[in-house]
Amino acid sequence: MSTADSIRFEEALEYLNLVPDAVVIRDMEDHILLWNSGAQELFGITAAHATETRAFTKLYRDRVAVITPKQELLKHGHWTGILEMTGRNGEVRHLSCSWKLKRDDNGHPKS
């Protein structure tokens, strides 16, 4: 990544942290690549902790309930719906979620 690209990336991250909504970018193995301040506020987990662990998978109240959305994501490239999740303090929340699939240059699912 060039210096100019790096600067643009850092600026984009700053803007994402201004958004009150939780923005989470994960790879296909559920490793967190980006966790904005909205996600930190909602789930009570810092970006540093979230990106070091697979913390996001632990937030699903029913991990089996995520199977269908993941299948839809892979089939159609997007999924929108409600998921029941818990924050760090155990509070249950019904969240409106919107997932979008990013593919690599060969068309394989990336994140």
Side-chain angles (χ1 to χ4, degrees), residues 9-26:
F9 180 75
E10 291 300 320
E11 287 177 350
L13 287 177
E14 288 176 18
Y15 285 115
L16 283 174
N17 280 324
L18 296 174
V19 175
D21 296 329
V23 177
V24 178
I25 299 175
R26 300 173 291 154

Side-chain angles (χ1 to χ4, degrees), residues 73-92:
L73 178 68
L74 291 171
K75 183 177 180 180
H76 301 290
H78 58 89
W79 176 82
T80 301
I82 305 292
L83 285 176
E84 193 172 80
M85 303 182 82
T86 58
R88 187 172 216 169
N89 63 2
E91 180 182 350
V92 176

Side-chain angles (χ1 to χ4, degrees), residues 7-42:
I7 291 169
R8 281 192 292 271
F9 180 75
E10 291 300 320
E11 287 177 350
L13 287 177
E14 288 176 18
Y15 285 115
L16 283 174
N17 280 324
L18 296 174
V19 175
D21 296 329
V23 177
V24 178
I25 299 175
R26 300 173 291 154
D27 66 14
M28 297 310 294
E29 287 78 40
D30 287 323
H31 296 105
I32 296 168
L33 307 175
L34 182 132
W35 185 269
N36 79 336
S37 59
Q40 182 172 318
E41 179 72 25
L42 180 65

Side-chain angles (χ1 to χ4, degrees), residues 31-82:
H31 296 105
I32 296 168
L33 307 175
L34 182 132
W35 185 269
N36 79 336
S37 59
Q40 182 172 318
E41 179 72 25
L42 180 65
F43 296 111
I45 297 173
T46 65
H49 178 72
T51 55
E52 290 172 2
T53 66
R54 292 177 66 189
F56 199 65
T57 59
K58 298 173 187 169
L59 299 174
Y60 297 120
R61 181 157 171 133
D62 178 5
R63 293 183 190 156
V64 175
V66 180
I67 293 172
T68 300
K70 281 190 174 184
Q71 290 170 339
E72 291 292 315
L73 178 68
L74 291 171
K75 183 177 180 180
H76 301 290
H78 58 89
W79 176 82
T80 301
I82 305 292

